[in-house]
Amino acid sequence: MQVVGYETGVGRETAAALLVATDGVVEREPLESGRQLQWSLGERRCAGTVDGADHLACENSTAPYCESHDSTWVCARCTGTCLKAEMDCYQQHAVYLAAFAPKTFKVGVTKLRRLETRFREQGADRAAHIYTVENGRIAREIEAELAADIPIPDAVRVPAKIDGMGRTVDETAWSRLLSQFDVQGTYAFEYGLDLEAAPVAETLASGTVLGTKGRVLLLERDGGTFAVDMRDLVGYELREGSSARQLQSSLGAFG
């Protein structure tokens, strides 16, 4: 059984899940709060290709994907000059700001109809819709300009998000950033985690599920709280039975 993907569970009615493949068939392993995971991690290799419920395995040792199966979305690299043979992003797009506790902020773009979904996919604590434009090219141009002029990053790494868990957004800094724009709407998100401190970043698949925040899975194990970047699980073989490896207590996150 190999982890070949994950779902962030952006809606309130749909839990996040790991996608696991066995003998070419993909199944969904829900990550509902309270579920007990009892897997240890085996070898890691390329996750191959997933097409619906079908999985084409790959034996290449490069993980999570080898060169043949690493499909980077071309639009993610766009700054306003289309990298496709023909531009096709003609739907309305939103330019937004997102906040991650305590005061890590980013600018981003998404299709207007996916705005709130996109915030939850990233695990944002606060967000603001600042522009609506007619296509993706214009949105990317604005994003690139803001990233350079404010300046503000257009990406936030998972370790920074984990470091801020258990803390609140610096409302003064957030309000100062928003004051530069004619904000069209603001959002605040809760993920039901009730953390008192930042969890310890680990790569494991055993423990009690506390919940998810974007692509970060929170597990309780041996009295500690651990944060798992689900992308870091992709490619691993899962074996029945919890790992006996000793883990650093989450008390280490209080520093």
Side-chain angles (χ1 to χ4, degrees):
M1 184 165 64
Q2 183 188 23
V3 181
V4 295
Y6 58 88
E7 296 175 354
T8 56
V10 295
R12 294 184 178 180
E13 298 178 358
T14 304
L18 293 178
L19 303 180
V20 299
T22 305
D23 297 328
V25 178
V26 178
E27 295 185 333
R28 190 175 183 275
E29 292 284 350
L31 299 171
E32 295 128 339
S33 177
R35 179 177 177 180
Q36 299 289 326
L37 303 185
Q38 295 183 337
W39 293 310
S40 58
L41 302 180
E43 295 182 357
R44 194 183 191 201
R45 64 179 189 280
C46 176
T49 301
V50 174
D51 184 5
D54 297 323
H55 174 243
L56 180 63
C58 176
E59 297 303 319
N60 193 301
S61 60
T62 302
Y65 300 102
C66 69
E67 185 175 338
S68 298
H69 295 110
D70 187 7
S71 55
T72 301
W73 184 42
V74 66
C75 294
R77 302 197 306 268
C78 177
T79 57
T81 300
C82 188
L83 302 175
K84 294 181 178 180
E86 183 176 351
M87 177 176 154
D88 59 4
C89 52
Y90 291 105
Q91 298 180 46
Q92 280 193 316
H93 278 61
V95 182
Y96 65 82
L97 300 170
F100 304 87
K103 53 179 179 180
T104 298
F105 309 132
K106 65 156 287 190
V107 61
V109 305
T110 188
K111 292 176 182 177
L112 183 60
R113 59 179 173 78
R114 295 194 77 253
L115 185 59
E116 186 169 343
T117 296
R118 184 61 184 139
F119 297 149
R120 290 187 176 276
E121 286 175 344
Q122 297 178 82
D125 296 303
R126 299 281 188 276
H129 176 191
I130 55 175
Y131 296 110
T132 300
V133 296
E134 63 187 53
N135 61 52
R137 179 185 60 79
I138 297 173
R140 288 294 187 184
E141 288 177 344
I142 295 172
E143 178 190 41
E145 290 171 2
L146 293 177
D149 294 345
I150 292 181
I152 184 172
D154 58 8
V156 176
R157 302 297 182 188
V158 169
K161 297 178 183 181
I162 293 174
D163 286 345
M165 290 183 181
R167 304 173 70 179
T168 59
V169 172
D170 183 328
E171 297 292 352
T172 299
W174 178 235
S175 297
R176 187 183 306 118
L177 176 62
L178 297 191
S179 68
Q180 302 176 56
F181 303 94
D182 183 11
V183 175
Q184 298 184 24
T186 59
Y187 303 78
F189 299 97
E190 298 292 339
Y191 298 88
L193 298 173
D194 194 27
L195 300 174
E196 295 182 357
V200 174
E202 275 284 0
T203 302
L204 70 159
S206 58
T208 302
V209 176
L210 299 178
T212 56
K213 192 171 188 281
R215 76 185 205 201
V216 178
L217 166 65
L218 280 298
L219 296 173
E220 190 281 328
R221 176 176 159 177
D222 300 329
T225 303
F226 301 92
V228 183
D229 183 346
M230 289 191 283
R231 180 175 168 80
D232 289 344
L233 294 177
V234 175
Y236 272 109
E237 291 284 347
L238 296 181
R239 299 169 179 167
E240 295 294 338
S242 299
S243 169
R245 179 167 61 94
Q246 292 295 312
L247 300 172
Q248 174 190 346
S249 168
S250 57
L251 290 174
F254 280 97

